[in-house]
Amino acid sequence: MAAARRLKRVVASQPGFLNFKSSSESLSGRRKRVNKNKKKSWNKHSDINDVEEFLEDVRLQERTTGGLLAEKSDDSLFFLDVGQPKRAERKAEPIEGKKRKGKTPRPLRIDLILQQDSLIPAPKDVLAYQQPNAKKLRRISQKAEQLAAKGVVTRRQKRLLSRRPVTKEAKKSDTEANNNPNRDYYDIWGQEQSTVKDSAEDWYLQQTGKKRVKRPEKLSDRPSVLPAVEVIAPGGSYNPDFFSHQALLKEAHEVEVKKQKEEDKLERQLAVNKDDTATEETVIREQVEGLVEEEEEEEEDEEEAAHDEEDEDAEGGSSLAKKKTERQRKREKADKIKELRRLDSKRQMDHRQQLFQLRSIKASIKQQEQSTEDKQKIRKANQEAEKSQPRRLGKLKFQAQDLEVQLSDELAGSLRQLKPEGSVLKDRFKSLQKRNLIEPRERAKFKRRHKLKYVEKRAFRAIT
Amino acid sequence: MGGLQKKKYERGSVTNYITRNKARKKLRLSLPDFRRLCILKGIYPHEPKHKKKVNKGSTAPRTFYLIKDIRFLLHEPIVGKFRDYKVFVRKLKKAYGKTEWSAVERLRENKPTYKLDHIIKERYPSFIDALRDIDDALCMCFLFSTFARTGKCHVQTIQLCRRLTVEWMNYVVAARALRKVFISIKGIYYQAEVMGQLITWLVPYQFSHDHPTDVDYRVMATFTELYTTLLGFINFRLYHSLNLLYPPKKLSALSASLARMVSSAEEEEAQLDQFPVEGEDMEKLEAREREQKEQEAQKKLFDGLKFFLNREVPRESLAFVIRCFGGEVSWDKSVCIGSTYEVTEETITHHIVDRPNASTQYINRYYIQPQWVYDCINAKIVLPVEDYFLGVTLPPHLSPFVEEKEGDYMPPEKVKIMALQRGEKPEQEDEEEEDEDEDEEEEEDDNDDEEEDEEEDEEESEEKNLKKMEKQRSQGKSLQVKVTPGKMKVENPERLEQEEKAEEKRLAIMMMKKKEKYLYDKIMFGKKRKIREANKLTAKRKAHDDAEKANKKKTRK
């Protein structure tokens, strides 16, 4: 209740507030007696607005003009207007302005806003200058000065000066690391160690297990005959000759044509003939097969069955074997011997006739030799060609990189406008693979061990 | 059956090979460590001839190593260091997990490291062996020195690579060893001759860098580790062979502080004595002498010339290349440290600019495009500057790595250069010819249609003449051909000789046996085919040039 009353009173005291009761009535009417002995009551009921206004005015004047206006001199507030100033004076100003513009640009608006614009300086922060033991420190420094002026060195100072300076050593791991930029090199091939090793020394090293194992000779063979750096064809120059550029374009074109051909081949193999697609007719026919027209089929089946049985009888007859008689065995033996004799005589005849066939035999031998020689040559050529091919080491095949070539409209006229093609890093990587130094590798894919579970948020669950 | 039974896959080629996983388990290393070890030691996988046998009947693609190589690996001391590193990582992780920071500091300070010196000595027992393998090392080091210094690979590696490449370039400058340069779309190829070995390396452009994702960086970093060590030792040895201090001081920008060192080196190089090798003919000696003289001349190609590089030209490459041939070079102070003189210097002879127009013109210097420098080096002579002025269409930059044989197509620019090398001056003649050609072509263009008509008319008239003569003959009339007194032809003695030789050749051909003639025909056919193709190409080129000239005229009109 008291609070409500207080609120009403505050509202009523606002300057523009109009009461229900007319203002004159409220003024002249009975005034309630208020006790102003306590601070609380006279804070509430005294009106200090005019004083406050006056003080605010004073403060404003001080802030903006640096002092009371009444105390300022006439000259600082007013000036006599005598028309336009002379030309010389005017010229001085714009030149200064230009200079200023050239050297220092205008300050930013935000800086201006954030600046202090009051002409009263801020009060000094005393706490910032306070030091708890300032007196003591002052005394000590004065004493030290006096002693230094006399030339006396205290014991403490002597000990400090005689201490060794701290040399912070660089980390051992950093200095000994392989990629330390300031590492030292020495002459590794220089000192020709005594080639004639003492046999005693040799034996000693071997027995104590300190002898170095010899490197196998095969390791010094290069794994490939290709050179380490293959220079690009002359068409790859930044300003190429017309024909070499065309030749390079042709090569790239052929590669693309080959790829396209393979794709086409695949598509042809996978192509489906439109006539083969099932129409409704064929579908129905397939489903109905064997169901319609049963009588005709039955007759046909019977005929076929009869034929089959006959054949089976004939085959069945031959499977029942009869025992061979003595006669049959003797006959077979005689036949065999005859056969052998015939073959023998034939062979002898062949031998005799070969004498007359010498020339043709020679010719045929020559032909065979020729063909074997040719095959050998081809095989050797293939082997040589394979040496320069990258070997298959591992799961992936070697994929040659695309030819670096710039199309005619990409060619730059000058070195400044040149846009480099291809990446040397990739080129080096592929070159290492080509020369069989490393196996072709693919970037490892990220495989999840456990499947991801997707759960709806509560909010969604409420909606859906 | 009696006797011991042989088991399959127990003898023969199977016993020579071992799969990668088995090898790894034998060495007790993880796969990345195993790979690193193989790269460092130079042990490569092999493809056996009969895969099925070695793979014990299956044809699954597997990586095979030779068992001898793997047994050799077992004796390597670095393997122990790898295992120590694994233990170190485990301890470090534990310390981090328990937040024992003092332990972390202590462990970090005692991180196990290894050195590769003994591996280098083992793989390359002599200096020349190392020089043979330096191509790869140089390419890798140059590549890594162009990487950006983000955290992807160790920053120290990049710094070390940069230091080594600069040292190498300084050596090449001091020894004047550079022979060929080729600017391609990939990068710049250099070839130098060091101690009799031809070394080719590729330097990528500074400004291209899209790091492809399918390159294994760990593998490349391991190779670089090995190659930086190798290159460092080689540099040391090379510097000592020239009696220079190693490591050299103040090499951040290939500055002229090297001049002092270079001059001292030159003084010490005595003239090469001529040792007549026993059994050599005088011709060979003379040929060698000539070559040496040419080389000496080539080394002083830019002697006495002063160059200034504008901001937009590739500064490092040009500075290196110009210094290699004795020239002095400088650039603007604000571009990089180490510039010796400013733009305003009067004695500058060539100013290299790549813009379409130069800002301020000084009189006694040439303003040329950078391709002039490279072309001069490849041609081994100082080419005329006119073709390379600003705004002029440059002649094509030919590759010096292409050796053309007889009969092959040679671009006309190369023919010109070779002529210049021989000392002829066909440029003036060419200019005159060009003017004449232009005039002729102008006339031709006007009269083109008329000429065609004329040609047709001529042919027709010839035919008509022939027919006339035939008619007359048939009709029995004597031809109206007069017998005029013969004129004396002044015979050229040279022509006579040539004709005699040709006669002899023809006779010899007639005298050959059938077989030999058959072979000869084959050879000549092959040769003629080449020549025919070369002619075709020249004709095409001419047609192309004519078309271009016509286009130019059209645009001019």
Side-chain angles (χ1 to χ4, degrees), chain A residues 393-395 439-441, chain B residues 17-27 29 31 34-35 38 45 62-65 70:
Chain A
L393 313 151
K395 206 159 78 162
E439 54 193 29
R441 285 187 69 210
Chain B
Y17 292 94
I18 184 176
T19 61
R20 186 191 66 185
N21 279 337
K22 280 231 173 84
R24 192 172 67 78
K25 286 194 186 129
K26 198 165 171 130
L27 289 160
L29 285 175
L31 186 57
F34 176 73
R35 271 212 196 96
C38 284
R62 285 221 180 90
T63 319
F64 291 105
Y65 291 83
I70 302 295

Tab-separated table of all heavy atoms in Angstrom, chain A residues 393-395 439-441, chain B residues 17-27 29 31 34-35 38 45 62-65 70:
chain	number	residue	atom	x	y	z
A	393	LEU	N	54.014	-54.249	-58.962
A	393	LEU	CA	54.441	-54.599	-57.608
A	393	LEU	C	53.293	-54.328	-56.680
A	393	LEU	O	53.133	-53.236	-56.199
A	393	LEU	CB	55.615	-53.722	-57.164
A	393	LEU	CG	56.769	-53.528	-58.129
A	393	LEU	CD1	57.389	-52.183	-57.868
A	393	LEU	CD2	57.787	-54.601	-57.913
A	394	GLY	N	52.450	-55.308	-56.392
A	394	GLY	CA	51.409	-54.996	-55.439
A	394	GLY	C	50.045	-54.932	-56.067
A	394	GLY	O	49.855	-55.215	-57.237
A	395	LYS	N	49.098	-54.530	-55.262
A	395	LYS	CA	47.711	-54.681	-55.659
A	395	LYS	C	47.328	-53.786	-56.835
A	395	LYS	O	46.634	-54.195	-57.729
A	395	LYS	CB	46.826	-54.375	-54.453
A	395	LYS	CG	45.502	-55.057	-54.524
A	395	LYS	CD	44.860	-55.163	-53.170
A	395	LYS	CE	44.241	-53.834	-52.796
A	395	LYS	NZ	43.263	-53.957	-51.730
A	439	GLU	N	55.819	-48.944	-54.605
A	439	GLU	CA	54.672	-49.557	-55.272
A	439	GLU	C	53.563	-48.527	-55.389
A	439	GLU	O	53.417	-47.658	-54.530
A	439	GLU	CB	54.200	-50.757	-54.472
A	439	GLU	CG	53.921	-50.401	-53.034
A	439	GLU	CD	53.753	-51.605	-52.181
A	439	GLU	OE1	54.343	-52.631	-52.488
A	439	GLU	OE2	53.005	-51.494	-51.191
A	440	PRO	N	52.756	-48.605	-56.416
A	440	PRO	CA	51.671	-47.636	-56.579
A	440	PRO	C	50.697	-47.732	-55.413
A	440	PRO	O	50.315	-48.827	-55.020
A	440	PRO	CB	50.989	-48.044	-57.880
A	440	PRO	CG	51.944	-48.921	-58.549
A	440	PRO	CD	52.804	-49.554	-57.518
A	441	ARG	N	50.346	-46.578	-54.882
A	441	ARG	CA	49.472	-46.603	-53.710
A	441	ARG	C	48.338	-45.640	-53.898
A	441	ARG	O	48.459	-44.616	-54.565
A	441	ARG	CB	50.252	-46.198	-52.462
A	441	ARG	CG	51.153	-47.296	-51.991
A	441	ARG	CD	51.760	-46.926	-50.687
A	441	ARG	NE	50.755	-46.914	-49.657
A	441	ARG	CZ	50.806	-46.132	-48.601
A	441	ARG	NH1	51.797	-45.296	-48.466
A	441	ARG	NH2	49.880	-46.176	-47.680
B	17	TYR	N	62.004	-65.389	-52.353
B	17	TYR	CA	61.126	-64.242	-52.154
B	17	TYR	C	60.367	-64.349	-50.858
B	17	TYR	O	60.148	-65.429	-50.322
B	17	TYR	CB	60.122	-64.129	-53.303
B	17	TYR	CG	60.751	-63.755	-54.604
B	17	TYR	CD1	61.132	-64.725	-55.516
B	17	TYR	CD2	60.970	-62.431	-54.927
B	17	TYR	CE1	61.720	-64.379	-56.708
B	17	TYR	CE2	61.554	-62.077	-56.120
B	17	TYR	CZ	61.918	-63.060	-57.001
B	17	TYR	OH	62.496	-62.711	-58.188
B	18	ILE	N	59.961	-63.179	-50.378
B	18	ILE	CA	59.158	-63.134	-49.161
B	18	ILE	C	58.143	-62.011	-49.332
B	18	ILE	O	58.429	-60.988	-49.953
B	18	ILE	CB	60.085	-62.892	-47.944
B	18	ILE	CG1	59.295	-62.937	-46.646
B	18	ILE	CG2	60.784	-61.571	-48.054
B	18	ILE	CD1	60.177	-62.814	-45.429
B	19	THR	N	56.947	-62.220	-48.807
B	19	THR	CA	55.935	-61.183	-48.978
B	19	THR	C	56.191	-60.046	-48.007
B	19	THR	O	56.943	-60.168	-47.042
B	19	THR	CB	54.528	-61.738	-48.720
B	19	THR	OG1	54.495	-62.207	-47.382
B	19	THR	CG2	54.191	-62.845	-49.663
B	20	ARG	N	55.507	-58.945	-48.283
B	20	ARG	CA	55.778	-57.730	-47.516
B	20	ARG	C	55.394	-57.888	-46.060
B	20	ARG	O	56.124	-57.497	-45.157
B	20	ARG	CB	55.008	-56.580	-48.142
B	20	ARG	CG	55.318	-55.253	-47.533
B	20	ARG	CD	54.354	-54.219	-48.005
B	20	ARG	NE	53.014	-54.505	-47.530
B	20	ARG	CZ	51.945	-53.826	-47.862
B	20	ARG	NH1	52.050	-52.835	-48.708
B	20	ARG	NH2	50.765	-54.133	-47.400
B	21	ASN	N	54.264	-58.477	-45.825
B	21	ASN	CA	53.810	-58.617	-44.434
B	21	ASN	C	54.705	-59.537	-43.639
B	21	ASN	O	55.008	-59.287	-42.472
B	21	ASN	CB	52.371	-59.133	-44.407
B	21	ASN	CG	51.386	-58.014	-44.639
B	21	ASN	OD1	51.702	-56.866	-44.412
B	21	ASN	ND2	50.198	-58.346	-45.098
B	22	LYS	N	55.158	-60.602	-44.286
B	22	LYS	CA	56.061	-61.522	-43.580
B	22	LYS	C	57.363	-60.826	-43.242
B	22	LYS	O	57.905	-60.978	-42.146
B	22	LYS	CB	56.354	-62.738	-44.459
B	22	LYS	CG	55.292	-63.787	-44.459
B	22	LYS	CD	55.895	-65.163	-44.173
B	22	LYS	CE	54.802	-66.188	-43.997
B	22	LYS	NZ	54.332	-66.715	-45.284
B	23	ALA	N	57.843	-60.024	-44.200
B	23	ALA	CA	59.088	-59.287	-43.963
B	23	ALA	C	58.915	-58.317	-42.797
B	23	ALA	O	59.771	-58.170	-41.931
B	23	ALA	CB	59.477	-58.530	-45.232
B	24	ARG	N	57.772	-57.673	-42.788
B	24	ARG	CA	57.508	-56.701	-41.725
B	24	ARG	C	57.497	-57.373	-40.369
B	24	ARG	O	58.035	-56.882	-39.388
B	24	ARG	CB	56.151	-56.057	-42.021
B	24	ARG	CG	55.808	-54.875	-41.246
B	24	ARG	CD	54.546	-54.293	-41.804
B	24	ARG	NE	53.394	-55.152	-41.611
B	24	ARG	CZ	52.737	-55.278	-40.482
B	24	ARG	NH1	53.153	-54.646	-39.413
B	24	ARG	NH2	51.691	-56.058	-40.413
B	25	LYS	N	56.875	-58.549	-40.329
B	25	LYS	CA	56.799	-59.254	-39.043
B	25	LYS	C	58.165	-59.734	-38.623
B	25	LYS	O	58.489	-59.740	-37.435
B	25	LYS	CB	55.829	-60.431	-39.153
B	25	LYS	CG	54.425	-59.960	-39.189
B	25	LYS	CD	53.424	-61.068	-38.957
B	25	LYS	CE	52.032	-60.498	-39.166
B	25	LYS	NZ	51.239	-61.297	-40.075
B	26	LYS	N	58.970	-60.097	-39.613
B	26	LYS	CA	60.308	-60.550	-39.273
B	26	LYS	C	61.105	-59.429	-38.621
B	26	LYS	O	61.874	-59.648	-37.698
B	26	LYS	CB	61.008	-61.009	-40.542
B	26	LYS	CG	62.191	-61.882	-40.300
B	26	LYS	CD	62.600	-62.571	-41.592
B	26	LYS	CE	63.904	-63.258	-41.363
B	26	LYS	NZ	63.891	-64.644	-41.802
B	27	LEU	N	60.917	-58.219	-39.139
B	27	LEU	CA	61.649	-57.084	-38.597
B	27	LEU	C	60.973	-56.470	-37.387
B	27	LEU	O	61.540	-55.585	-36.756
B	27	LEU	CB	61.790	-56.004	-39.664
B	27	LEU	CG	62.741	-56.329	-40.801
B	27	LEU	CD1	62.432	-55.455	-41.982
B	27	LEU	CD2	64.156	-56.098	-40.355
B	29	LEU	N	58.407	-54.414	-37.242
B	29	LEU	CA	58.180	-52.987	-37.443
B	29	LEU	C	56.766	-52.773	-37.930
B	29	LEU	O	56.168	-53.649	-38.529
B	29	LEU	CB	59.133	-52.434	-38.509
B	29	LEU	CG	60.586	-52.230	-38.148
B	29	LEU	CD1	61.323	-51.802	-39.385
B	29	LEU	CD2	60.721	-51.172	-37.086
B	31	LEU	N	53.966	-50.937	-40.469
B	31	LEU	CA	54.049	-50.783	-41.924
B	31	LEU	C	54.679	-49.457	-42.359
B	31	LEU	O	55.557	-49.453	-43.220
B	31	LEU	CB	52.658	-50.951	-42.542
B	31	LEU	CG	52.639	-50.955	-44.056
B	31	LEU	CD1	53.534	-52.032	-44.623
B	31	LEU	CD2	51.226	-51.159	-44.575
B	34	PHE	N	58.340	-49.749	-41.774
B	34	PHE	CA	58.974	-50.649	-42.731
B	34	PHE	C	59.195	-49.951	-44.050
B	34	PHE	O	60.254	-50.050	-44.675
B	34	PHE	CB	58.091	-51.889	-42.894
B	34	PHE	CG	58.582	-52.840	-43.932
B	34	PHE	CD1	59.690	-53.616	-43.697
B	34	PHE	CD2	57.939	-52.961	-45.142
B	34	PHE	CE1	60.158	-54.504	-44.651
B	34	PHE	CE2	58.386	-53.831	-46.108
B	34	PHE	CZ	59.496	-54.608	-45.857
B	35	ARG	N	58.172	-49.209	-44.479
B	35	ARG	CA	58.301	-48.497	-45.762
B	35	ARG	C	59.438	-47.496	-45.684
B	35	ARG	O	60.240	-47.372	-46.610
B	35	ARG	CB	57.005	-47.738	-46.064
B	35	ARG	CG	56.062	-48.530	-46.792
B	35	ARG	CD	55.221	-47.698	-47.720
B	35	ARG	NE	54.104	-48.535	-48.061
B	35	ARG	CZ	52.928	-48.498	-47.469
B	35	ARG	NH1	52.682	-47.604	-46.560
B	35	ARG	NH2	51.986	-49.353	-47.804
B	38	CYS	N	62.777	-49.205	-45.907
B	38	CYS	CA	63.118	-49.662	-47.259
B	38	CYS	C	63.554	-48.511	-48.139
B	38	CYS	O	64.509	-48.626	-48.905
B	38	CYS	CB	61.913	-50.350	-47.893
B	38	CYS	SG	61.636	-51.981	-47.263
B	45	PRO	N	60.892	-53.490	-53.906
B	45	PRO	CA	60.208	-54.763	-54.151
B	45	PRO	C	60.508	-55.265	-55.558
B	45	PRO	O	60.807	-54.489	-56.451
B	45	PRO	CB	58.728	-54.410	-53.995
B	45	PRO	CG	58.650	-52.958	-54.182
B	45	PRO	CD	59.939	-52.374	-53.756
B	62	ARG	N	50.614	-59.609	-54.891
B	62	ARG	CA	51.287	-59.340	-53.619
B	62	ARG	C	52.606	-58.666	-53.900
B	62	ARG	O	53.157	-58.779	-54.987
B	62	ARG	CB	51.564	-60.658	-52.882
B	62	ARG	CG	50.343	-61.239	-52.268
B	62	ARG	CD	50.662	-61.796	-50.881
B	62	ARG	NE	49.451	-62.347	-50.310
B	62	ARG	CZ	49.056	-63.584	-50.460
B	62	ARG	NH1	49.808	-64.423	-51.127
B	62	ARG	NH2	47.936	-63.999	-49.938
B	63	THR	N	53.105	-57.990	-52.888
B	63	THR	CA	54.407	-57.330	-53.026
B	63	THR	C	55.463	-58.273	-52.503
B	63	THR	O	55.369	-58.760	-51.381
B	63	THR	CB	54.420	-56.051	-52.190
B	63	THR	OG1	53.161	-55.417	-52.345
B	63	THR	CG2	55.500	-55.135	-52.669
B	64	PHE	N	56.499	-58.508	-53.316
B	64	PHE	CA	57.548	-59.441	-52.929
B	64	PHE	C	58.873	-58.735	-52.766
B	64	PHE	O	59.221	-57.863	-53.550
B	64	PHE	CB	57.701	-60.541	-53.974
B	64	PHE	CG	56.540	-61.463	-54.007
B	64	PHE	CD1	55.622	-61.380	-55.031
B	64	PHE	CD2	56.354	-62.406	-53.010
B	64	PHE	CE1	54.532	-62.226	-55.058
B	64	PHE	CE2	55.269	-63.253	-53.038
B	64	PHE	CZ	54.363	-63.160	-54.060
B	65	TYR	N	59.597	-59.150	-51.759
B	65	TYR	CA	60.966	-58.678	-51.566
B	65	TYR	C	61.881	-59.889	-51.580
B	65	TYR	O	61.471	-61.000	-51.269
B	65	TYR	CB	61.104	-57.965	-50.221
B	65	TYR	CG	60.380	-56.653	-50.140
B	65	TYR	CD1	59.021	-56.607	-49.843
B	65	TYR	CD2	61.041	-55.460	-50.374
B	65	TYR	CE1	58.357	-55.406	-49.777
B	65	TYR	CE2	60.385	-54.258	-50.307
B	65	TYR	CZ	59.037	-54.240	-50.009
B	65	TYR	OH	58.387	-53.052	-49.949
B	70	ILE	N	66.040	-58.654	-47.111
B	70	ILE	CA	65.417	-58.498	-45.793
B	70	ILE	C	66.378	-58.956	-44.711
B	70	ILE	O	66.469	-58.349	-43.641
B	70	ILE	CB	64.098	-59.288	-45.740
B	70	ILE	CG1	63.164	-58.797	-46.837
B	70	ILE	CG2	63.440	-59.167	-44.393
B	70	ILE	CD1	62.709	-57.390	-46.680
